[in-house]
Amino acid sequence: GFLYTLGRCLLYLGLAALLTTTALSIPAVSIFLQKYTHLVLGPIFLLLGMFLVGLITFSGGAALLGGRMQQRVDAMGVWGALLLGILFAVSFCPTSAAWFFGLLALIMGSEAGAIASVLSRIGITLPEASLPGATLVLPLLYGIGTALPVLVVAFLLAYSAQAVGKAYNALAKTEWWARMATGWIFILVGAFFSLRYVFEVL
């Protein structure tokens, strides 16, 4: 569980460092985002919400683990968990991708340029400057947070197989309600943004 979490954290740290220092600071990318991002926010929120409530399905993570990759992970023994953490961190689902890029905007603050201007159009203001140490701390916290379910299950497996079943059932119920609530909020926000910025009805 620790190595899996470490793998996720390393990947998110690398991505955050790369994206905050390169792509988001390129003028052409900045201008493009300023012009068009607010137009796609509504449809993106709608798609994410529909994905969360189950109206559309997305299969991505499992495809990364083909037969050969699984054999390599098995051959690495306990260190295979590190590789698994990296692989599953790369396989962003739409929801985790949205959260991660929101995290990047927080890291950069108003220095995010295009992202900051787009968010200001919908009433969200980023910090004036990049947060000190955020490039290190926030991706680490994000990596730990996304690995928590695996850590909990690993801990329970180590101590009691019976407890796993009970914990899984409780987590499944909680996750379903949280996912439904988040999904419908996303759908409502997406519909509002689409009507306001794409169709200019509101």
Side-chain angles (χ1 to χ4, degrees), residues 5 40 75 79 85 93 104 163 176 191:
T5 305
V40 298
W79 291 100
C93 75
L104 289 183
W176 187 87

Side-chain angles (χ1 to χ4, degrees), residues 13-102:
L13 275 170
L15 269 181
L18 180 69
L19 292 173
T20 54
T21 56
T22 56
L24 294 180
S25 59
I26 295 171
V29 174
S30 181
I31 292 167
F32 177 82
L33 289 173
Q34 276 183 335
K35 277 187 170 182
Y36 301 111
T37 305
H38 68 288
L39 297 175
V40 298
L41 281 176
I44 286 172
F45 275 119
L46 276 171
L47 286 173
L48 287 175
M50 292 169 72
F51 167 75
L52 286 172
V53 300
L55 295 175
I56 56 174
T57 57
F58 176 84
S59 58
L64 283 177
L65 279 179
R68 290 182 184 176
M69 185 57 71
Q70 187 171 353
Q71 287 174 0
R72 287 182 189 175
V73 169
D74 290 342
M76 293 174 70
V78 72
W79 291 100
L82 182 72
L83 179 59
L84 276 178
I86 293 169
L87 284 174
F88 282 112
V90 170
S91 63
F92 278 119
C93 75
T95 313
S96 62
W99 285 114
F100 183 75
F101 286 102

